[in-house]
Amino acid sequence: MMIILLFVLALIPYCGGSVAIAVSTTAKWSSASNSSKILAENNCTSQQESSSLTYLVDTTGSMSDDLQQLKLVNGWLLDRVHARFPCGVRQYTMVEFNDPTVGPVRVTDSKSMFGDFFNSLVASGGDDCPELAMGGLELALRRSPPNSFILVLTDASAKDNNNMTIVNNVRSLINTTKSQIFFLTTGLCSDLNDPQFLIYRELAKLSFGHVFQISLSDLGKAFNYLDFALSRPANSSVRLFSGEYSAGNHSDSFPVQSNFTSLIITTDGSIYSIRILGPGSVDVPLKNIVSEIWGSMYVVKYPGKGIWICYIYAGGPHSIRVAGFTASNISITTRCSECHANATCEETLGILQCSCKDGFIGDGFSCSDVDECAYSWSNNCSSGICKNTIGSYTCDCRPGYTKSPANTCVDINECSRPDLNNCHALAACINSIGSYSCVCPAGYFGNGFFCSVDECSAGMCGIGMDCIKSNVSFSCSDPCLYHTVLDEPWRSTTNTYLTRYNCDTDKVGWYRFVGAGGVRMPESCVPELSCDTHAPMWISGSHPLLSDGIVNRTACAHWSGNCCLWSTTVFIKACLGGYHVYKLNRTPVCHLTYCTDPSTVSDSPTCAADEVKKSINGTYQCQCKDEYKVSALSEIRPTLTCENQAVRATFQKCQLKTLNIDVQSINLKNSRCFLYKEDNTTNTISILSPLQMDRCGMQLIRNDTHVTYTNTLYLSMESGDLIIRNEELVVKLSCTYQLNMQVSLNTVLHPFVSSTNISIGGTGQFTAYMALYKDNGYLSVYEGAEVLLSSSSILYIGVFLDGVDLSQYAVVMGNCYATPSSNADDPMKYYIIQNSCPNRQDPSITVMENGASSKGRFSVQMFKFIGDHNLVYLYCQIHLCDLKSGSCAPVCSGIRSLSLGDSDYSLSVGPIKRQDHLISGTDVTRAPWILLLSALLLLANTLIV
Ligand SMILES: *[C@@H]1O[C@H](CO)[C@@H](O)[C@H](O)[C@H]1NC(C)=O
Ligand SMILES: *[C@@H]1O[C@H](CO)[C@@H](O)[C@H](O)[C@H]1NC(C)=O
Ligand SMILES: *[C@@H]1O[C@H](CO)[C@@H](O)[C@H](O)[C@H]1NC(C)=O
Ligand SMILES: *[C@@H]1O[C@H](CO)[C@@H](O)[C@H](O)[C@H]1NC(C)=O
Ligand SMILES: *[C@@H]1O[C@H](CO)[C@@H](O)[C@H](O)[C@H]1NC(C)=O
């Protein structure tokens, strides 16, 4: 079962305020002895004060994983900060809150001691949700120096949000300390409009902080903000702009009036796109530090002075903060040669400063390689094998994965193109992460790489066919072709000399009698002691004709004066060559044998259904009936049948025979693609061409209502003569189908649909499908390898079951989310439905049906992920709910988490490509982060086949 923890982390950078704040020298937090130790250890000539760091951690029972991860991330952060800013000092504060207590508070200025604090954190108690976040926050604010970063890590909302005494104290402390508060929430107990959660947003806004709703694995990414802000002296930044919004598009402007070395833009909430214009309405390049669905961080170096504008397009409540960083007096030099070999030397406002290049960490005078592989959040290689290199890293992809443009390993959708998989033409290809599988359609057997008709398993072979073991498997075969020959002349009824006392207790299966003894069994009682045995066996009844197929007859053994003292059943079939085959059973005892009638040695031929027997020059021959007569290859007219999974072209074998063509030698170009079916009753051979675009040359033409498949068969027929004739028969086939969901599925069209097989104890297998529809009628599905949609398009997604008693089960969509890659575990996820409820941050989401029937339906407006992502993949984790055992419809009231059933299944569709249209003249390839905000003239619903 997959419950994806919604976790967010908040972090961020900022130091100092635009209001001059004196960092009180009375803020007593560092012991003199410790400070001088730091100076000595690092060869610092003076210590430099940086902003202080405070963690307010929820230690209730549900938090133990969070605390582990926090410790790991903190270690990473402080090592980096120390490497870059070795002479920086700050207070580290750890404040705990539980239920019903807040505290204790631990304070140190030693980073190693601070690391030790984590070891004493124990998560326990407080099983309810929400928790006492406000009381804890008041304590944290009181015990932290001004201008601190206060990180609140919790998986719950605040239950003391209505204690106005506490809340007002918190507000006032924020006002006076200018500390920034970042809420890193990995869960909620209420929905996003609940005052117990909204208080977080209010306090984040008040303190120039953020609320990040992250998953635990993203905690490290969120800390990138702190990495930036703590690696510099306090008071080296200014708050430039702060905005707090609900959903939609908006633009805001703010002035930049000083010489800043950089601007840091941070956002939280469900923002689809952001665009920043500098003075003169010029697009500025944003360096992307973090770009996640819960928040982002961009850096602009050396921002120009003037009016700046930001455009934002968002799906729910979100905020943006812009801080300007002034030059700091660290890593300053008089000579660039003092910079490390792997550092750059830059002149900033007349000052030379060394800074390590990307991929290296240090103060600019000393730079060491960053091992990006050591922490999951410092590389983009979650599905690959990360290898550190000096200054960078490589990500090798495992089999089944490929490099994406973003240099990450993403699953190859082997099902998207026929050349990527080896599935048999009739098989459905099912992509999975890192691999794929092939499944033969119902009524066929095989491993998916090869499928053939499974007549045996159906228990019934066609008329004239039998289930015969060939090689390892049983398959329906024609016994006329698959049998054992018995050529012993002693079987003749005229053989009355007992020489061998033969016995047929070993004869099981299909046999054909040949040779001088006769080719058929006698149809009347045979004298005892004939056929070289004691009790000879004969057939009671007549032999079948060709049109009779397989018949059963009683075989009798004559002994003791009784013509049928023993009996057994044999099956008999008349074959095209004028002979019969017998399915013999072991004789009941010894010594009994199956006899042959010597008068049948040469018999007139038995003709096929499309043939007539004619006497030519005194001997009988089989000839095609008049309606099937042909004299040239070009006259052959196959019959066309448009079937559910294939286009069938049926040839009369007799016609081929009159042209002296051996049926077995029909060849098709690319014949591996096609399936052959012989029918000996109608004496036909059919060639099935599967309904799959681009497979075996199948072409597809579609309009709004119908889809037409066309294909061409090239039959090259070589006669068995000495003269080699190599003619080709070209047959054009075309079948038109009505286009709707059901047809698409039946024909395995590769529509924009995914499926998964589900088995429920005792009820057999059935299948769940997910499809992207074109409109709110939920009838027509997009097809092809990719769909291109405009930003104004609405995505209509349906999930439904097939093949079960639909009155019994309901589909419950637990989590449905979008990612920018085909990796369902992509850390960048945009939730549309979470814990069975719609994401209320995005008002464009409508859930029409969930848990009410065998169908689930929802719609969401097309969006784009922040960053250089143009594709959207949709995933749904579903489970089935038994309607008879109560209501299945989820109650979306805001419970902490709704656990899904035992068996969850995942479905996916995508990619959906967003069509970006820029406002004017902006080159999207130069500025890929830009997104289009306003309504545009778009080609809606363009289908790329
Ligand atoms: C401090 O300086 C001493 C002597 O110059 C040197 O050996 C030591 O490595 C330096 N320590 C650091 C942390 O740079
Ligand atoms: C608010 O919190 C304070 C401190 O915990 C407590 O003394 C006071 O009783 C609370 N007030 C209310 C109305 O719960
Ligand atoms: C914040 O402090 C300023 C003075 O520094 C004061 O004017 C203002 O009213 C205070 N705001 C709040 C909400 O306490
Ligand atoms: C900003 O920098 C320019 C030169 O780069 C300088 O002329 C100007 O005085 C500086 N302004 C401020 C406010 O420091
Ligand atoms: C600088 O980086 C390169 C790789 O980019 C590495 O080979 C070299 O050893 C590094 N130089 C130093 C002095 O670390």
Side-chain angles (χ1 to χ4, degrees):
M1 116 141 55
M2 338 199 179
I3 301 271
I4 308 237
L5 280 188
L6 206 221
F7 224 97
V8 183
L9 233 256
L11 280 214
I12 286 320
Y14 154 71
C15 317
S18 54
V19 182
I21 312 263
V23 169
S24 157
T25 51
T26 61
K28 281 285 169 254
W29 46 267
S30 58
S31 79
S33 63
N34 255 339
S35 294
S36 36
K37 203 166 120 217
I38 289 169
L39 288 179
E41 274 175 6
N42 298 302
N43 297 344
C44 295
T45 51
S46 67
Q47 65 182 37
Q48 281 180 292
E49 190 181 310
S50 180
S51 296
S52 293
L53 181 61
T54 296
Y55 292 150
L56 172 59
V57 293
D58 177 348
T59 54
T60 56
S62 54
M63 290 292 292
S64 71
D65 286 354
D66 301 42
L67 299 180
Q68 274 304 109
Q69 183 75 0
L70 185 66
K71 177 184 178 179
L72 183 69
V73 172
N74 179 65
W76 168 83
L77 170 75
L78 296 190
D79 284 347
R80 282 181 64 93
V81 168
H82 178 73
R84 291 204 286 183
F85 189 33
C87 301
V89 289
R90 63 191 67 78
Q91 173 179 317
Y92 301 104
T93 311
M94 176 76 74
V95 182
E96 297 175 37
F97 70 102
N98 203 296
D99 194 3
T101 58
V102 296
V105 178
R106 294 189 190 79
V107 175
T108 182
D109 60 348
S110 152
K111 90 179 166 79
S112 62
M113 188 180 294
F114 189 49
D116 292 343
F117 287 173
F118 286 91
N119 299 331
S120 59
L121 294 178
V122 178
S124 67
D127 278 340
D128 59 340
C129 183
E131 311 292 0
L132 294 170
M134 292 303 110
L137 195 49
E138 181 183 354
L139 183 61
L141 281 160
R142 288 199 191 287
R143 299 295 301 273
S144 303
N147 295 307
S148 290
F149 294 104
I150 298 180
L151 309 184
V152 184
L153 185 72
T154 180
D155 63 354
S157 317
K159 72 173 161 194
D160 49 357
N161 70 307
N162 52 4
N163 185 328
M164 291 326 289
T165 315
I166 298 183
V167 171
N168 282 333
N169 285 345
V170 167
R171 287 180 181 134
S172 148
L173 281 162
I174 289 171
N175 195 19
T176 53
T177 63
K178 305 290 184 231
S179 285
Q180 273 177 279
I181 303 169
F182 302 94
F183 294 90
L184 316 180
T185 66
T186 58
L188 286 182
C189 352
S190 54
D191 72 42
L192 293 162
N193 295 315
D194 191 297
Q196 297 187 334
F197 175 73
L198 290 178
I199 187 73
Y200 291 171
R201 295 204 72 89
E202 183 210 315
L203 297 178
K205 176 188 172 196
L206 209 58
S207 68
F208 206 73
H210 279 291
V211 178
F212 291 121
Q213 292 174 267
I214 49 164
S215 64
L216 204 46
S217 57
D218 276 355
L219 196 64
K221 284 188 181 152
F223 271 61
N224 275 300
Y225 301 99
L226 283 184
D227 180 28
F228 192 91
L230 288 178
S231 301
R232 46 177 55 239
N235 290 338
S236 58
S237 75
V238 175
R239 299 176 184 182
L240 293 178
F241 176 72
S242 172
E244 198 78 20
Y245 310 90
S246 54
N249 300 341
H250 56 86
S251 66
D252 286 288
S253 59
F254 56 90
V256 172
Q257 277 154 354
S258 314
N259 289 329
F260 292 113
T261 55
S262 50
L263 293 189
I264 305 272
I265 297 142
T266 53
T267 70
D268 65 42
S270 30
I271 291 177
Y272 301 144
S273 72
I274 184 165
R275 181 187 183 192
I276 307 280
L277 299 184
S281 294
V282 176
D283 272 302
V284 293
L286 302 176
K287 183 172 178 188
N288 185 338
I289 306 294
V290 174
S291 173
E292 297 295 334
I293 206 68
W294 44 261
S296 59
M297 174 184 180
Y298 305 95
V299 173
V300 179
K301 290 200 107 184
Y302 307 120
K305 284 194 267 188
I307 299 299
W308 288 59
I309 306 173
C310 73
Y311 294 93
I312 286 187
Y313 168 41
H318 60 281
S319 68
I320 177 171
R321 321 270 182 242
V322 182
F325 283 73
T326 54
S328 63
N329 55 349
I330 58 171
S331 302
I332 288 171
T333 183
T334 49
R335 282 174 294 134
C336 281
S337 58
E338 288 183 350
C339 296
H340 187 263
N342 286 320
T344 54
C345 184
E346 285 181 2
E347 184 182 337
T348 312
L349 308 170
I351 297 168
L352 290 176
Q353 212 166 3
C354 303
S355 51
C356 296
K357 290 177 183 163
D358 285 352
F360 294 89
I361 186 87
D363 59 3
F365 304 116
S366 139
C367 297
S368 54
D369 173 51
V370 174
D371 182 359
E372 289 87 354
C373 300
Y375 297 97
S376 61
W377 57 88
S378 33
N379 65 68
N380 251 339
C381 191
S382 56
S383 314
I385 301 155
C386 187
K387 284 195 192 122
N388 187 47
T389 62
I390 303 299
S392 184
Y393 68 98
T394 60
C395 185
D396 294 340
C397 295
R398 297 184 169 89
Y401 293 80
T402 187
K403 274 284 167 65
S404 74
N407 212 31
T408 60
C409 291
V410 295
D411 173 50
I412 298 170
N413 182 356
E414 291 88 354
C415 298
S416 63
R417 292 207 326 257
D419 56 312
L420 294 178
N421 67 72
N422 288 320
C423 289
H424 186 265
L426 284 176
C429 179
I430 299 170
N431 187 50
S432 57
I433 300 304
S435 184
Y436 70 97
S437 58
C438 312
V439 177
C440 295
Y444 291 76
F445 81 96
N447 59 7
F449 301 104
F450 176 78
C451 299
S452 86
V453 181
D454 184 9
E455 289 123 334
C456 286
S457 84
M460 261 193 62
C461 293
I463 295 168
M465 307 287 271
D466 193 20
C467 195
I468 295 176
K469 187 175 187 180
S470 56
N471 295 330
V472 288
S473 67
F474 284 89
S475 60
C476 282
S477 307
D478 183 352
C480 291
L481 300 174
Y482 298 95
H483 55 248
T484 306
V485 167
L486 297 176
D487 61 356
E488 299 106 333
W490 53 256
R491 291 185 182 276
S492 169
T493 51
T494 58
N495 183 3
T496 55
Y497 299 99
L498 292 187
T499 58
R500 308 168 65 128
Y501 304 100
N502 286 301
C503 186
D504 279 341
T505 46
D506 60 341
K507 298 289 180 295
V508 188
W510 285 95
Y511 294 90
R512 174 184 171 186
F513 300 105
V514 300
V519 299
R520 290 200 313 220
M521 286 182 69
E523 293 178 356
S524 56
C525 189
V526 177
E528 295 173 25
L529 301 174
S530 306
C531 310
D532 215 351
T533 193
H534 291 136
M537 295 193 80
W538 56 282
I539 292 294
S540 158
S542 58
H543 277 74
L545 302 174
L546 206 49
S547 54
D548 292 339
I550 297 170
V551 301
N552 62 349
R553 295 284 183 265
T554 302
C556 288
H558 182 193
W559 191 247
S560 259
N562 184 344
C563 267
C564 210
L565 184 61
W566 292 280
S567 69
T568 183
T569 300
V570 299
F571 294 86
I572 310 177
K573 182 185 176 187
C575 297
L576 273 173
Y579 58 92
H580 287 83
V581 287
Y582 299 78
K583 188 178 190 179
L584 302 180
N585 212 343
R586 303 170 194 281
T587 52
V589 292
C590 280
H591 294 171
L592 278 63
T593 61
Y594 292 102
C595 295
T596 54
D597 179 352
S599 70
T600 60
V601 167
S602 70
D603 234 346
S604 60
T606 314
C607 296
D610 53 355
E611 291 175 325
V612 287
K613 201 189 294 185
K614 284 200 174 160
S615 168
I616 296 170
N617 300 334
T619 61
Y620 283 104
Q621 286 186 8
C622 293
Q623 292 207 329
C624 280
K625 290 178 181 167
D626 285 344
E627 69 250 48
Y628 296 125
K629 269 195 180 137
V630 291
S631 55
L633 193 56
S634 57
E635 288 175 28
I636 288 183
R637 290 279 174 275
T639 337
L640 176 71
T641 321
C642 297
E643 300 186 341
N644 265 355
Q645 294 183 324
V647 173
R648 176 195 286 256
T650 306
F651 295 84
Q652 289 298 138
K653 281 199 219 168
C654 146
Q655 295 192 329
L656 305 177
K657 220 164 84 179
T658 57
L659 295 173
N660 216 7
I661 291 163
D662 179 0
V663 175
Q664 312 290 341
S665 74
I666 292 182
N667 288 309
L668 284 170
K669 278 190 184 169
N670 207 356
S671 56
R672 163 177 110 64
C673 292
F674 297 95
L675 202 76
Y676 293 85
K677 267 191 169 178
E678 284 191 72
D679 183 337
N680 281 354
T681 310
T682 57
N683 203 31
T684 55
I685 179 164
S686 297
I687 295 167
L688 279 76
S689 165
L691 291 186
Q692 269 180 274
M693 203 174 29
D694 292 338
R695 186 77 88 165
C696 306
M698 186 65 98
Q699 301 292 305
L700 184 152
I701 306 160
R702 56 187 303 287
N703 64 18
D704 286 349
T705 55
H706 291 84
V707 59
T708 300
Y709 285 89
T710 61
N711 206 347
T712 308
L713 302 181
Y714 299 88
L715 286 78
S716 63
M717 303 182 178
E718 288 167 16
S719 71
D721 306 349
L722 286 178
I723 311 156
I724 294 176
R725 186 176 48 181
N726 203 344
E727 276 184 77
E728 236 178 27
L729 176 65
V730 180
V731 184
K732 293 210 157 89
L733 310 172
S734 171
C735 278
T736 298
Y737 297 84
Q738 195 171 355
L739 185 62
N740 63 39
M741 192 63 225
Q742 295 309 320
V743 170
S744 300
L745 292 175
N746 288 342
T747 56
V748 200
L749 283 188
H750 276 182
F752 229 60
V753 166
S754 81
S755 65
T756 185
N757 287 331
I758 294 177
S759 64
I760 286 208
T763 64
Q765 277 240 321
F766 55 101
T767 307
Y769 295 96
M770 175 167 168
L772 178 63
Y773 293 86
K774 292 182 179 169
D775 55 41
N776 60 8
Y778 289 86
L779 281 177
S780 43
V781 181
Y782 286 106
E783 284 173 56
E786 192 176 82
V787 170
L788 184 62
L789 294 175
S790 74
S791 59
S792 63
S793 305
I794 305 289
L795 305 177
Y796 296 97
I797 293 107
V799 173
F800 58 95
L801 295 179
D802 196 22
V804 256
D805 174 5
L806 299 181
S807 64
Q808 183 168 1
Y809 294 105
V811 166
V812 181
M813 301 178 291
N815 290 315
C816 292
Y817 57 90
T819 72
S821 76
S822 60
N823 176 7
D825 294 326
D826 194 310
M828 190 183 279
K829 291 189 178 74
Y830 185 70
Y831 278 96
I832 300 160
I833 294 177
Q834 190 168 31
N835 292 337
S836 306
C837 295
N839 173 2
R840 290 183 206 175
Q841 296 190 53
D842 184 344
S844 84
I845 296 170
T846 310
V847 176
M848 265 74 70
E849 200 174 355
N850 193 12
S853 75
S854 62
K855 292 198 227 45
R857 291 174 296 154
F858 63 91
S859 64
V860 60
Q861 184 165 0
M862 183 63 190
F863 54 85
K864 176 185 186 290
F865 285 99
I866 289 180
D868 192 9
H869 301 293
N870 281 314
L871 299 181
V872 173
Y873 293 80
L874 296 171
Y875 298 87
C876 271
Q877 292 158 350
I878 61 161
H879 68 275
L880 299 188
C881 171
D882 190 344
L883 281 165
K884 289 175 181 145
S885 61
S887 168
C888 297
V891 181
C892 294
S893 64
I895 300 307
R896 197 191 284 228
S897 68
L898 182 66
S899 68
L900 302 183
D902 284 342
S903 317
D904 290 349
Y905 299 91
S906 288
L907 291 163
S908 66
V909 292
I912 304 154
K913 199 172 215 165
R914 190 177 176 286
Q915 212 174 32
D916 276 350
H917 285 240
L918 298 181
I919 292 163
S920 71
T922 314
D923 181 347
V924 73
T925 58
R926 265 196 305 113
W929 58 86
I930 288 176
L931 199 136
L932 242 215
L933 308 179
S934 22
L936 300 158
L937 285 178
L938 294 165
L939 292 169
N941 302 350
T942 306
L943 171 70
I944 299 190
V945 173

